[in-house]
Amino acid sequence: MTAETNRPLLRAEGVSKFYGRHVGCRDVSFELHPGEVLGIVGESGSGKTTLLNCLSAQLEPTAGHVLYDTRADGLTDVYRMSEAARRLLMRSDWGLVRQNPRDGLRMGVSAGANVGERLMAVGARHYGNIRSEATDWLSRVEIDADRVDDPPATFSGGMQQRVQLARNLVTRPRLVFMDEPTGGLDVSVQARLLDLLRGLVNDLGLSAVVVTHDLAVTRLLAHRLMVMKGGAVVETGLTDQVLDDPQHPYSQLLVSSILQP
Amino acid sequence: MSVVRGYNFAYLDEQTKRMIRRGLLKAVAVPGYQVPFGSREMPLPYGWGTGGIQVTASVIGPDDVLKVIDQGADDTTNAVSIRRFFARVAGVATTERTTEATLIQTRHRIPETPLAEGQILVYQVPIPEPLRWVEPRETETRKMHALTEYGVMHVKLYEDITRHGRIATSFNYPVLVNGRYVMSPSPIPKFDNPKMHRMPALQLFGAGREKRLYAVPPHTRVESLDFEDHPFEVQTWDDVCALCGADDSYLDEVIVDDQGGRMFVCSDSDYCRQRRDAGHAGHGGPSDLETVERGTP
Amino acid sequence: MYVAVKGGEKAIDNAHRLLAEDRRGDPAVPELSLRQISEQLSLAVDRVMTEGSIYDRDLAALAIKQARGDLVEAIFLLRAYRTTLPRLAVSRPVDTTAMHVHRRISATFKDLPGGQVLGPTFDYTHRLLDFDLAEPSAEVPEAPAGSPRGDPVPRVTEVLNREGLIAREVADDPNAPVGDLTREPLAFPADRATRLQNLARGDEGFLLALGYSTQRGFGSTHPFIGEIRMGEVAVEIEPEDLGFAVEIGDILLTECETVNQFKGSKTEPPQFTRGYGLAFGYAERKAISMALVDRALRGRELGEEVVAPAQDEEFVLYHSDNVESSGFVQHIKLPHYVDFQGELDLVRRLRAERDAEAAQ
């Protein structure tokens, strides 16, 4: 793990989200330090995606705060920022990888344009440079340079997911949110993507919050784990600890329900 | 032509004109910003220039001299119709000469003759939102303007270059006004974009159906979006105007027979006439088949 | 004592009598003749013929009269009549290039062979109510001669085609029979001929709104009106035992061809694409709308992203027919007592259970 500092990159303070009387997530608090990868696991309906949306400034919590260590102002409540500052944060210092690449990509424009969009959004105005940087990032996610001008609609699901990754990483974000990044992919494709993800996280010193129902994903990627049930966190700890010696009955059930490696 | 009875000067009532002028003042104060306004139903259909007509009706006075062009020409049917409309409802003097006009309403062109301080150019605008092609929702585009989120405009240009080797937008080419707002220049050919830059005349834009006004005050910066290594360029032709020999004006292609014969003539009929009056002449005949528009090099 | 509602027959008879009375209006006012409708409400007749998909001015006028001017109702009447007619022959494709043109305009070229012919258009009228028309007028001054044009008028798309600038349109098999929507149900994906047939019969307002939505960015196709032409064309049939074509009459048609955004890639040269609209009579709004929607519906075959309503074949083709939609939308005013009774009972039960739980 890369060096942790004392100051967290992201801090959740009592984050709760209610949909009327229904609980999305309740009273979630944690800190995420630079270079750290946090896995959030739980079955469908456990509130993990609601929590991810709250953390990534897409869904304002009913109660609680989400603070991020901005480059300019230090720890700042993301829901108290101006919308301009928040949107800038989301397209530069943050990344968001969605489960369905169609939601995170422009399917009708080239892979190069998809990756270059963030550069153009922050002011890049040299076509040649944008294209070569896009090509470079595509090669880092193992997409051949000769596909840079093809639209993602012509790519396989695994490739689309890798384009989405490159599109997010091109502005060198410090924090990436991932929602079931390997969901919907074949097992062999999943393994390759996970391997790639792990390499990138290490090389770039990325921090990440990864939501998944797949414990294998967390074992490979996450340093720490949060287990959610019914909108609440029932157990939290180092990944190996939680997976090898789960304390909460629900965690035990979850771990026992998958094949051990 | 006699002035029609039963209607206020220039058709609109004075309250409406004041409302539109207030909108225009705001538009001038924030160059390139689209000001929503209470567009009225006009006696011409949407798409015919109801926005431009409302702007003209709001700023025209009895002493104004009006010129109306469509596709650069005064004799196109819609230009004739709008000119007649104002002759009927306002009784103002009309002209075909660019230099004589105080007010010029246009659809799809900027006159070749440079405009001067004191003149007003009124554009008819079908779709005022330059971001519409990348984002159909108004709520989102307004936010993008407010937050200066214009990166996606360059995605479109990027894609053009990737696909065609060049920027493949030939009209309605988006501009950045005063370094702040991305604006639609209306569907003028990109050939005309440079004329907008620091133009001494006041440029007013009216979109009736979409209910928006915007403006470029005199001498304002207007830059066409581009890339450093693919700079904005305008159209050029291999041929000159068959009638007046102009090599610096926007040319219309006219098909002269059904064997594919064609010739090129000035789109700006007043400019062409001025040149012919001054003794210039073109070759008069059809062009070779090969001399189709060359586009940007 | 309560007596259950009965007497439906009598009610219907009375309703029809009332309808007939209202249709006639004040008997002191002279009754409309079909000829008056056909001559003076000719654009209404054109619309009813187009969407009723039968070219017969007298029948359309009758339908309009019977429907009290409700054009969708008139279309319905005409369709219901049409379906009873025997099919004696199938015409050869009409040749609109040989049209006897009353109007022909192009928005893409300032001038072209055959010229720009405005014809009888509203386009440049000022929409000021003409109170002179409120009273029967004297003679209408004769319009200047010179139209219609006789000589063949070449098509704008052909001019572009000569340079290879516009995608060619060739039927897969020109001899294959054209499907008939009135005989076979829709199947997806629908071929272009079927789509065009559906659009030709489709509701003008629906197509107008869809076409408009493409112009506002919901499935943009960047259209130019290459050409609109309106005029008479000859209809020919080729009786089997004769072996050659015979002309059976002329019909008035409005045709619109759009020239749309080009596509291209590193391997394919850029080319314009086309949209097509055709309507009986003088029905320009319909023909243009149809061409816009036709082009939008070609998104899939042209490799475009299909995201907007106008590009969605099922959405468009299933909802375009106003006889279908008018019927189904309005059918909810028919009795639904039984279904509703079921719902009513269910809601009462659920509420009762809840109250009982709360009371415990």
Side-chain angles (χ1 to χ4, degrees):
Chain A
M1 197 190 300
T2 42
E4 286 187 26
T5 61
N6 286 332
R7 195 161 70 172
L9 192 61
L10 183 76
R11 180 194 287 161
E13 293 177 352
V15 173
S16 301
K17 176 68 192 176
F18 302 106
Y19 301 99
R21 288 159 62 186
H22 175 75
V23 177
C25 63
R26 189 202 301 270
D27 197 24
V28 178
S29 300
F30 69 88
E31 286 188 350
L32 181 77
H33 287 263
E36 194 180 18
V37 178
L38 174 71
I40 303 178
V41 296
E43 61 193 2
S44 163
S46 62
K48 55 190 194 304
T49 297
T50 295
L51 176 62
L52 187 84
N53 289 340
C54 287
L55 297 174
S56 57
Q58 300 180 88
L59 180 68
E60 188 162 4
T62 316
H65 301 282
V66 177
L67 298 105
Y68 178 74
D69 183 17
T70 62
R71 291 181 201 246
D73 303 318
L75 268 184
T76 311
D77 187 333
V78 298
Y79 290 98
R80 296 281 165 83
M81 291 177 182
S82 69
E83 186 167 14
R86 186 161 60 238
R87 283 170 72 126
L88 179 64
L89 183 69
M90 291 170 79
R91 65 172 190 261
S92 56
D93 218 18
W94 284 6
L96 177 62
V97 177
R98 298 173 189 275
Q99 173 173 5
N100 185 347
R102 289 185 171 270
D103 297 335
L105 292 174
R106 292 182 190 277
M107 299 306 283
V109 304
S110 65
N114 267 287
V115 177
E117 177 167 356
R118 277 183 160 223
L119 297 173
M120 293 182 252
V122 294
R125 291 293 179 265
H126 189 285
Y127 173 82
N129 294 349
I130 294 165
R131 190 168 178 282
S132 70
E133 196 160 347
T135 311
D136 187 41
W137 273 100
L138 286 169
S139 76
R140 294 184 75 160
V141 296
E142 300 170 9
I143 287 173
D144 286 344
D146 64 358
R147 300 302 303 272
V148 64
D149 294 337
D150 297 336
T154 64
F155 292 2
S156 70
M159 285 173 78
Q160 290 176 356
Q161 201 55 300
R162 283 182 274 135
V163 176
Q164 199 191 174
L165 210 55
R167 173 176 161 95
N168 274 282
L169 296 180
V170 68
T171 49
R172 299 193 162 265
R174 290 192 295 165
L175 174 58
V176 179
F177 298 96
M178 302 187 207
D179 188 4
E180 302 277 9
T182 58
L185 298 177
D186 292 343
V187 176
S188 63
V189 178
Q190 279 187 16
R192 183 176 172 197
L193 184 68
L194 276 175
D195 210 39
L196 180 76
L197 266 174
R198 187 159 65 160
L200 286 168
V201 165
N202 284 336
D203 293 352
L204 302 169
L206 280 178
S207 302
V209 177
V210 185
V211 158
T212 180
H213 67 283
D214 185 349
L215 296 183
V217 170
T218 57
R219 190 184 287 279
L220 271 171
L221 280 183
H223 304 123
R224 277 198 303 140
L225 220 53
M226 262 172 28
V227 182
M228 290 188 74
K229 182 180 189 308
V233 176
V234 295
E235 181 162 357
T236 173
L238 294 175
T239 303
D240 292 345
Q241 212 171 51
V242 176
L243 291 184
D244 298 338
D245 183 20
Q247 300 299 305
H248 190 275
Y250 178 72
S251 311
Q252 290 167 358
L253 189 69
L254 208 59
V255 171
S256 67
S257 70
I258 61 152
L259 295 173
Q260 293 300 316
Chain B
M1 188 174 283
S2 64
V3 177
V4 69
R5 287 165 172 277
Y7 289 94
N8 190 34
F9 174 79
Y11 185 78
L12 292 176
D13 61 282
E14 292 304 315
Q15 288 294 337
T16 298
K17 289 186 193 174
R18 262 197 288 278
M19 174 274 291
I20 292 173
R21 285 196 296 263
R22 277 196 296 270
L24 290 171
L25 283 174
K26 182 169 180 180
V28 168
V30 193
Y33 171 72
Q34 299 167 49
V35 181
F37 83 111
S39 175
R40 299 295 194 255
E41 312 252 67
M42 298 298 284
L44 281 85
Y46 287 124
W48 264 236
T50 53
I53 294 170
Q54 289 181 75
V55 170
T56 297
S58 304
V59 299
I60 201 168
D63 300 331
D64 270 310
V65 180
L66 178 69
K67 171 182 164 82
V68 182
I69 52 173
D70 187 340
Q71 314 299 305
D74 301 85
D75 61 347
T76 39
T77 43
N78 198 36
V80 171
S81 168
I82 293 171
R83 191 165 54 243
R84 277 194 195 168
F85 176 73
F86 280 108
R88 277 175 87 184
V89 299
V92 294
T94 61
T95 182
E96 297 193 357
R97 291 172 192 263
T98 301
T99 47
E100 283 176 3
T102 57
L103 198 55
I104 302 172
Q105 180 167 329
T106 180
R107 180 168 168 265
H108 294 191
R109 277 310 309 275
I110 298 176
E112 307 289 3
T113 309
L115 300 185
E117 219 160 292
Q119 289 182 304
I120 298 178
L121 183 60
V122 177
Y123 296 76
Q124 302 173 195
V125 181
I127 302 275
E129 180 50 74
L131 305 173
R132 187 60 74 228
W133 310 116
V134 290
E135 174 52 63
R137 274 167 225 291
E138 179 72 12
T139 42
E140 187 58 22
T141 52
R142 286 185 79 82
K143 201 171 274 182
M144 290 161 82
H145 281 297
L147 302 177
T148 335
E149 279 184 12
Y150 293 137
V152 67
M153 289 304 276
H154 276 85
V155 171
K156 185 183 176 300
L157 303 183
Y158 176 101
E159 205 54 17
D160 273 359
I161 298 170
T162 299
R163 200 171 285 179
H164 305 291
R166 69 174 60 165
I167 296 172
T169 301
S170 61
F171 65 93
N172 211 345
Y173 191 107
V175 293
L176 183 67
V177 179
N178 203 29
R180 174 59 181 85
Y181 282 98
V182 168
M183 183 187 94
S184 161
S186 87
I188 57 172
K190 65 179 178 179
F191 180 88
D192 286 340
N193 275 22
K195 297 175 185 166
M196 304 181 90
H197 181 57
R198 302 206 187 283
M199 184 191 279
L202 171 63
Q203 303 174 71
L204 301 177
F205 299 77
R209 185 181 40 80
E210 297 277 342
K211 303 177 174 57
R212 295 287 184 276
L213 301 168
Y214 54 99
V216 177
H219 307 291
T220 303
R221 251 189 317 146
V222 178
E223 297 146 301
S224 303
L225 303 185
D226 61 1
F227 285 104
E228 289 156 17
D229 49 342
H230 285 268
F232 172 79
E233 283 171 328
V234 299
Q235 295 101 328
T236 57
W237 285 261
D238 286 339
D239 205 351
V240 297
C241 172
L243 303 178
C244 78
D247 61 0
D248 59 350
S249 76
Y250 194 85
L251 300 180
D252 277 342
E253 186 171 333
V254 176
I255 299 171
V256 291
D257 56 46
D258 59 1
Q259 304 308 307
R262 63 199 64 215
M263 59 191 246
F264 292 89
V265 294
C266 284
S267 135
D268 184 335
S269 51
D270 173 59
Y271 183 71
C272 197
R273 183 196 49 75
Q274 278 181 47
R275 285 183 47 88
R276 277 177 280 134
D277 287 355
H280 296 285
H283 50 69
S287 304
D288 294 338
L289 251 183
E290 303 308 311
T291 52
V292 292
E293 186 196 339
R294 201 194 325 145
T296 47
Chain C
M1 199 181 122
Y2 172 76
V3 179
V5 182
K6 278 201 179 129
E9 258 177 60
K10 196 170 172 201
I12 286 178
D13 286 344
N14 287 343
H16 291 176
R17 254 178 248 134
L18 283 169
L19 177 65
E21 198 176 291
D22 278 7
R23 178 188 297 123
R24 179 61 183 89
D26 182 351
V29 176
E31 186 172 345
L32 268 178
S33 72
L34 297 192
R35 193 138 175 78
Q36 283 174 326
I37 294 173
S38 164
E39 289 299 312
Q40 295 172 38
L41 299 177
S42 59
L43 298 183
V45 169
D46 288 345
R47 180 175 173 192
V48 170
M49 290 197 305
T50 298
E51 294 172 38
S53 47
I54 181 166
Y55 194 95
D56 188 318
R57 303 197 72 82
D58 296 337
L59 287 178
L62 173 60
I64 291 169
K65 180 176 177 181
Q66 185 179 335
R68 305 173 61 191
D70 178 337
L71 298 189
V72 175
E73 178 68 23
I75 289 160
F76 185 14
L77 285 168
L78 209 52
R79 288 265 192 96
Y81 177 75
R82 178 193 194 273
T83 194
T84 65
L85 297 176
R87 227 156 275 204
L88 301 176
V90 175
S91 78
R92 292 162 57 96
V94 294
D95 179 9
T96 50
T97 307
M99 181 183 275
H100 197 58
V101 165
H102 296 277
R103 168 166 166 82
R104 188 282 194 114
I105 53 164
S106 168
T108 48
F109 294 103
K110 183 170 185 168
D111 200 3
L112 64 173
Q116 305 262 15
V117 182
L118 276 187
T121 178
F122 288 126
D123 283 357
Y124 304 104
T125 61
H126 301 146
R127 268 49 163 212
L128 305 172
L129 279 174
D130 182 355
F131 293 103
D132 290 345
L133 286 176
E135 296 301 328
S137 52
E139 296 278 289
V140 177
E142 202 172 322
S147 63
R149 300 181 63 94
D151 40 314
V153 180
R155 316 169 82 83
V156 166
T157 47
E158 268 317 299
V159 172
L160 292 168
N161 194 20
R162 188 171 291 121
E163 276 186 74
L165 293 178
I166 191 161
R168 282 187 166 279
E169 309 261 289
V170 190
D172 297 336
D173 175 5
N175 295 317
V178 178
D180 184 346
L181 273 176
T182 64
R183 299 287 166 100
E184 302 137 22
L186 261 179
F188 296 101
D191 63 13
R192 182 136 180 251
T194 305
R195 295 197 306 250
L196 287 169
Q197 203 174 113
N198 176 289
L199 298 179
R201 291 160 54 88
D203 183 76
E204 178 173 315
F206 179 73
L207 297 186
L208 177 67
L210 280 175
Y212 180 49
S213 71
T214 68
Q215 290 181 290
R216 293 194 69 264
F218 288 82
S220 171
T221 62
H222 303 274
F224 294 94
I225 297 292
E227 177 170 359
I228 290 170
R229 53 174 66 194
M230 182 270 289
E232 281 108 11
V233 296
V235 179
E236 294 177 334
I237 57 168
E238 198 178 303
E240 267 177 39
D241 45 347
L242 220 54
F244 57 87
V246 290
E247 202 175 305
I248 56 168
D250 286 337
I251 59 174
L252 188 71
L253 290 179
T254 305
E255 182 185 55
C256 171
E257 288 189 280
T258 58
V259 176
N260 295 73
Q261 71 184 0
F262 51 89
K263 267 275 182 186
S265 60
K266 283 203 168 140
T267 48
E268 278 175 87
Q271 265 192 328
F272 291 111
T273 55
R274 325 180 188 215
Y276 187 79
L278 187 73
F280 286 152
Y282 185 19
E284 205 157 282
R285 189 188 301 120
K286 167 76 186 246
I288 296 173
S289 304
M290 177 173 164
L292 291 181
V293 178
D294 168 50
R295 177 57 187 79
L297 285 176
R298 303 183 64 201
R300 200 188 325 274
E301 62 208 42
L302 294 170
E304 294 164 350
E305 221 184 331
V306 174
V307 287
Q311 299 170 310
D312 185 329
E313 184 173 278
E314 284 200 38
F315 180 81
V316 174
L317 300 187
Y318 270 144
H319 303 118
S320 62
D321 192 291
N322 58 27
V323 177
E324 289 174 6
S325 56
S326 173
F328 197 66
V329 163
Q330 296 198 65
H331 101 284
I332 58 173
K333 69 190 169 188
L334 299 183
H336 285 76
Y337 317 136
V338 175
D339 299 351
F340 186 68
Q341 186 55 52
E343 294 285 277
L344 200 57
D345 180 60
L346 181 64
V347 171
R348 285 199 185 110
R349 271 175 204 284
L350 292 174
R351 288 181 65 92
E353 279 165 20
R354 211 177 122 108
D355 290 348
E357 266 174 42
Q360 276 171 12

